[in-house]
Amino acid sequence: MSINNWMSWEGGVDLVAKTADGLEMPNVIVHVARMVHTPAGSSPSGMLFWQPDPAAPPLAFGFVSGCPEVGAYFGKHIFAGTPFENAPVIVGKIEITTTPEGATARVEVPGFVFESALTGLGETVVIDRAPAAMSPFRQQGLEAAAGSATLKVNGESVALILPPVSMTGGPCAVLSASGIYAR
């Protein structure tokens, strides 16, 4: 299999959640890493989706990165063919902290500060997921699922419901020590 597009990372803190029962799709995504490497460069980067009112447009949506060129790489090269293909780039700041007990991500973008925390980490396992509809890339890496997760947006706690499986096929709250998406 020839690989044309790829990204790798270390220190990934991923949260996909709903804020209310009965929502068909998650309305929270804070999927970020301490450092992401792409053919376009390297920078702390990830993806944000914040839609507190599911009937209204998202308040924050896009690929967040400290480097606009790295953020712009994701849509066309990694997420092509998904609803994220044309997501905007948001220049922001990402801080990741990991301990044996858990991990936190602080993401600052214009108008918002997102603070996610993962606790009760399980055993770190090797993953290898085949491409799927919302993740049209091969995924490989090291993951430790979290037993619980919290989120604050602009300092206010947000109630979360974690679906059993995320859109990419893994846990909805996970510390991804390292990994790669390739297609």
Side-chain angles (χ1 to χ4, degrees), residues 35-163:
M35 186 58 65
V36 175
H37 305 285
T38 73
S42 301
S43 178
S45 300
M47 176 189 296
L48 287 176
F49 182 77
W50 171 234
Q51 188 181 22
D53 178 354
L59 298 179
F61 170 61
F63 296 110
V64 62
S65 183
C67 174
E69 295 80 12
V70 172
Y73 179 82
F74 301 131
K76 299 285 184 217
H77 299 279
I78 302 297
F79 289 90
T82 76
F84 300 100
E85 180 174 6
N86 295 308
V89 175
I90 307 167
V91 176
K93 182 179 178 183
I94 298 169
E95 297 174 3
I96 304 292
T97 303
T98 57
T99 68
E101 294 80 36
T104 62
R106 179 180 168 85
V107 183
E108 295 180 37
V109 297
F112 293 97
V113 175
F114 296 90
E115 298 170 285
S116 62
L118 309 179
T119 55
L121 297 178
E123 180 179 311
T124 299
V125 297
V126 174
I127 61 104
D128 185 3
R129 295 187 188 103
M134 289 299 287
S135 55
F137 39 78
R138 180 152 221 84
Q139 302 174 61
Q140 296 178 324
L142 300 173
E143 290 183 350
S148 63
T150 61
L151 176 68
K152 289 183 182 179
V153 179
N154 292 339
E156 294 187 28
S157 293
V158 175
L160 299 175
I161 299 166
L162 297 177

Side-chain angles (χ1 to χ4, degrees), residues 24-36:
E24 216 172 288
M25 297 294 292
N27 61 336
V28 173
I29 300 173
V30 181
H31 185 80
V32 294
R34 180 181 300 122
M35 186 58 65
V36 175

